[in-house]
Amino acid sequence: MHKIKPDDELKIIAHRGFNIDYPENTLLAYKAALNTNINMLEIDVHLTKDQELVVIHDDRIDRTSNGSGYIKNYTLDELKSYDFGLWKDSTFEGTRIMTFGEVVKLIQPYDITLLIEIKKPSQYPNIEEILLRELKEYRLNPERAILQSFDEKSIQKIAEITREYELGLLLSKKKYLMRMPNFNKIAKFCEYVNPNYQLVNRKFVERAHAHRLKVMPYTVNNVEEIQKLIDLGVDGIITDGPNYYFELD
Ligand code: G3P
Ligand code: CA
């Protein structure tokens, strides 16, 4: 497959780790991503019953573990008893859910930024404060974290607490297919506007840039599509398989 040689300005973001070959949002997927020359690692965070931040995409464990039910109804200890690798392949048996703190410790030695998505914040009162507290506790340099969410209120809330971290608003295809976002409003509390890649056209990128908003579309898993977005001037590409689509050596 033809691979793209990225220029230094373009950020390459591993979505849920290198999740094409490994179980998403796990140590295996993150390690595989960190072993390539990516710029950012994208992760999703939820909150357990005992207020621990864990990395997982869905608010339930059904799809990616051998258990079932909502994250918010389990303690961390209970969640750690489930297998989060078997669903992908039997060779990944024994893979455990990771806490946010474990992920920060893992990435510390690498020259990458953590792109942290706060999932379903309306289900978790104070998840924003807990995330900010843990970022401090685990001593992640604020320049190495970008906090993003589909939930505008959640990101606005963080912006009111602190402007120490860069912030991003995620845009879904469902909500924005028929209308342009209000870049002026978004630029008041964000540095990034990260859309479903199908929302991106020249006008979108120009308007976002005119408001000093960077654009990092998700989730693009096709070389031609990635090249099209690069030609439109996006600032980053969120992809499941960075080393499948880019020359990263
Ligand atoms: O980083 C953006 C992207 O991850 C949003 O979609 O569903 O994969 O979390 P989703
Ligand atoms: Ca995500």
Side-chain angles (χ1 to χ4, degrees):
M1 191 202 290
H2 149 76
K3 289 190 188 182
I4 297 167
K5 203 172 171 52
D7 71 32
D8 291 347
E9 296 303 305
L10 186 79
K11 304 295 179 212
I12 298 174
I13 304 124
H15 183 240
R16 311 181 199 173
F18 185 17
N19 87 74
I20 290 185
D21 286 351
Y22 299 94
E24 62 185 58
N25 279 315
T26 66
L27 182 63
L28 295 167
Y30 294 158
K31 271 190 173 166
L34 292 168
N35 282 333
T36 66
N37 233 340
I38 52 161
N39 306 104
M40 297 189 198
L41 177 66
E42 192 264 358
I43 65 171
D44 304 289
V45 295
H46 288 264
L47 207 53
T48 65
K49 190 174 163 186
D50 51 346
Q51 308 287 284
E52 296 285 347
L53 277 178
V54 286
V55 287
I56 180 168
H57 179 270
D58 305 354
D59 59 352
R60 298 180 61 95
I61 63 171
D62 305 49
R63 181 178 61 87
T64 57
S65 83
N66 55 354
S68 69
Y70 285 98
I71 299 282
K72 64 179 179 195
N73 293 335
Y74 284 107
T75 63
L76 177 60
D77 274 358
E78 285 165 350
L79 283 176
K80 285 272 186 192
S81 70
Y82 291 105
D83 189 301
F84 285 79
L86 256 181
W87 69 278
K88 184 86 171 171
D89 194 276
S90 58
T91 55
F92 303 132
E93 186 173 5
T95 304
R96 300 293 146 192
I97 197 166
M98 285 181 91
T99 63
F100 176 69
E102 287 168 342
V103 179
V104 176
K105 280 186 199 151
L106 174 74
I107 64 120
Q108 281 290 16
Y110 296 87
D111 181 22
I112 62 126
T113 297
L114 209 47
L115 179 60
I116 305 159
E117 180 181 349
I118 308 171
K119 279 283 182 208
K120 309 256 178 110
S122 57
Q123 285 195 39
Y124 310 112
N126 300 329
I127 189 168
E128 297 83 2
E129 285 88 345
I130 293 168
L131 176 59
L132 291 171
R133 193 190 68 217
E134 292 206 7
L135 282 163
K136 284 270 170 276
E137 212 171 285
Y138 293 102
R139 296 172 184 276
L140 187 63
N141 181 338
E143 284 174 14
R144 297 186 60 195
I146 301 168
L147 317 186
Q148 62 169 0
S149 183
F150 284 102
D151 189 319
E152 204 170 307
K153 284 202 189 104
S154 178
I155 297 302
Q156 272 172 329
K157 180 177 171 184
I158 294 176
E160 280 162 23
I161 301 173
T162 177
R163 295 312 311 257
E164 207 177 356
Y165 300 92
E166 288 196 311
L167 303 176
L169 185 66
L170 286 161
L171 306 182
S172 69
K173 192 170 142 192
K174 201 167 144 204
K175 199 164 163 194
Y176 288 96
L177 195 57
M178 305 308 282
R179 63 182 174 106
M180 270 279 168
N182 184 341
F183 292 111
N184 192 34
K185 184 181 171 204
I186 298 168
K188 289 194 165 57
F189 61 98
C190 283
E191 284 74 32
Y192 290 84
V193 60
N194 295 340
N196 178 298
Y197 76 94
Q198 288 169 296
L199 297 173
V200 180
N201 53 34
R202 197 163 293 281
K203 201 158 92 181
F204 185 104
V205 178
E206 279 174 6
R207 288 194 184 174
H209 284 171
H211 287 87
R212 293 173 184 273
L213 285 163
K214 284 171 263 182
V215 179
M216 303 199 298
Y218 67 90
T219 304
V220 209
N221 293 325
N222 172 297
V223 175
E224 284 74 34
E225 207 58 66
I226 291 174
Q227 189 59 58
K228 248 198 310 197
L229 292 160
I230 294 173
D231 294 343
L232 289 173
V234 300
D235 303 280
I237 295 284
I238 301 175
T239 175
D240 289 323
N243 46 348
Y244 278 161
Y245 312 121
F246 290 100
E247 281 180 33
L248 290 177
D249 307 321

